[in-house]
Amino acid sequence: MGSHASDENIYLLGRDEAETERLNKQHRFLLAISGDELIHPSIPKEEITAVADIGTGTGIWLEDLATKFPNSNSSSLDLHGFDISSAQFPTAHEIIVPGKKRIPLSVHDALQPYPSEHIGRYDLVHIRLLTAGLKQGDYTVVLKNARELLKPTGYIQWEEVDTTTFCTNVTPELPAITTMRNTVIDAMLKLGLWPFAPPTVYEEIVAGGFHNIHREIYTTEGKEHLYAIAPKWVAGVMRALVPPSMVVLGQAGSEEEAKGKVEVLIGEFEGHCKEALALASFGVSVGQRCD
Ligand SMILES: C[S@@+](CC[C@H](N)C(=O)[O-])C[C@H]1O[C@@H](n2cnc3c(N)ncnc32)[C@H](O)[C@@H]1O
């Protein structure tokens, strides 16, 4: 079940090996759905020398950035990952990409101010998929602390999946989909978490006084190359989120029992997707700090 670091920090997902593998595979899918752009096209890449990733998980986004960054100075690119837990960090809490600067990963709660050596240091702060650990009021605090990491003209790029919109292009909806989606929403609300992340992130960036704001909502619709993989990805997300949610709601006595129930629902969903297109919504919001 999701880790409960303290009463203050609740996290609905697990952090075991299977979840690490899922996050790394998911990175490929999220990149594909957003047009293979690690950094939103509105952010000028030429001048980027330092990037921080908050809630970095396994550090896969930073690792990919180090590998692909177009800047000719990419070997001196200063990258740093932060996460409230080191459970999914690579060994020695750093990422090694041959020919690039080592990428340190630090344990840090995004709800707390960052150490002084990181303040005002980054051209870009990236955040992706913090929703399983944030309450509604936390978004303002995470953004305020992230802003402090930025240089005076630095950018924030915050990406969230909207699990409340998981569906297919077929109506009436398959009851198994409604059940899984509502189970996750109800469990998050019961835990005090906030399942409606993408619009909230956008509203916070607007309210936070950022400039050059952009918002994209990416879906699988129209992206035929993703039609076969989309149901597999949705099934992976549901396998990760629904069993702990069932336990939270008292619909199962243990995660093992919940997993059995979820496999039945996923079997129905996968059968349905032989004809239907799995739709998912991935929101990216961008803003520039202009002090
Ligand atoms: C779903 S994972 C996403 C990881 C990574 N951003 C990615 O997209 O692959 C969410 C991560 O956020 C971290 N997290 C949750 N609450 C946090 C907090 N308050 N501060 C920092 N990290 C947090 C979790 O430990 C986990 O590693």
Side-chain angles (χ1 to χ4, degrees):
M1 153 102 172
S3 322
H4 294 247
S6 71
D7 287 348
E8 310 270 289
N9 295 109
I10 294 168
Y11 186 53
L12 188 58
L13 291 162
R15 292 189 175 98
D16 61 9
E17 234 172 83
E19 177 60 7
T20 292
E21 197 186 326
R22 189 188 71 81
L23 286 184
N24 289 342
K25 277 193 186 153
Q26 172 170 265
H27 171 73
R28 304 281 151 226
F29 180 80
L30 295 179
L31 206 54
I33 203 173
S34 50
D36 282 320
E37 300 274 8
L38 283 164
I39 298 179
H40 188 267
S42 68
I43 301 174
K45 293 175 198 60
E46 305 72 38
E47 315 229 318
I48 291 181
T49 60
V51 180
D53 186 31
I54 297 176
T56 196
T58 66
I60 185 71
W61 185 88
L62 286 171
E63 183 177 348
D64 212 15
L65 186 66
T67 311
K68 293 182 181 154
F69 199 70
N71 190 326
S72 53
N73 292 329
S74 65
S75 55
S76 58
L77 196 60
D78 181 13
L79 303 179
H80 201 109
F82 298 96
D83 199 288
I84 197 170
S85 163
S86 61
Q88 292 174 294
F89 286 177
T91 329
H93 294 193
E94 63 178 11
I95 299 171
I96 308 287
V97 177
K100 312 286 176 175
K101 257 174 109 170
R102 59 181 273 276
I103 306 169
L105 305 177
S106 306
V107 172
H108 184 87
D109 179 355
L111 293 168
Q112 301 302 323
Y114 290 85
S116 57
E117 68 265 29
H118 292 287
I119 300 300
R121 177 169 155 186
Y122 299 96
D123 302 288
L124 170 64
V125 170
H126 175 257
I127 306 176
R128 190 173 66 183
L129 304 179
L130 272 191
T131 187
L134 297 186
K135 300 179 186 125
Q136 187 178 8
D138 291 344
Y139 286 80
T140 316
V141 184
V142 169
L143 187 62
K144 181 175 161 290
N145 291 329
R147 185 194 177 99
E148 294 299 309
L149 294 174
L150 291 171
K151 291 177 184 170
T153 55
Y155 286 83
I156 183 100
Q157 175 175 323
W158 190 338
E159 311 171 355
E160 292 290 345
V161 167
D162 199 336
T163 44
T164 66
T165 63
F166 277 153
C167 61
T168 70
N169 61 348
V170 171
T171 50
E173 183 164 85
L174 181 79
I177 299 175
T178 319
T179 301
M180 289 194 283
R181 197 180 52 232
N182 288 347
T183 301
V184 174
I185 294 172
D186 291 349
M188 287 183 80
L189 291 174
K190 184 171 176 189
L191 288 171
L193 300 172
W194 185 243
F196 315 105
T200 300
V201 166
Y202 175 74
E203 284 156 21
E204 289 295 339
I205 288 179
V206 171
F210 284 82
H211 295 247
N212 296 321
I213 296 172
H214 291 264
R215 169 167 58 170
E216 314 279 353
I217 308 283
Y218 299 106
T219 80
T220 40
E221 203 156 21
K223 300 190 178 88
E224 286 190 26
H225 61 295
L226 296 180
Y227 286 3
I229 186 90
K232 294 192 176 83
W233 174 66
V234 173
V237 174
M238 290 302 155
R239 278 193 182 99
L241 280 173
V242 184
S245 299
M246 282 183 164
V247 174
V248 165
L249 295 175
Q251 294 173 359
S254 68
E255 267 203 43
E256 277 317 302
E257 184 194 336
K259 279 179 185 168
K261 293 184 174 191
V262 171
E263 280 314 310
V264 174
L265 297 169
I266 286 177
E268 289 174 32
F269 167 71
E270 286 178 332
H272 177 70
C273 285
K274 289 189 177 125
E275 305 298 329
L277 166 63
L279 297 172
S281 162
F282 179 52
V284 179
S285 294
V286 169
Q288 184 181 22
R289 174 177 182 173
C290 294
D291 292 352

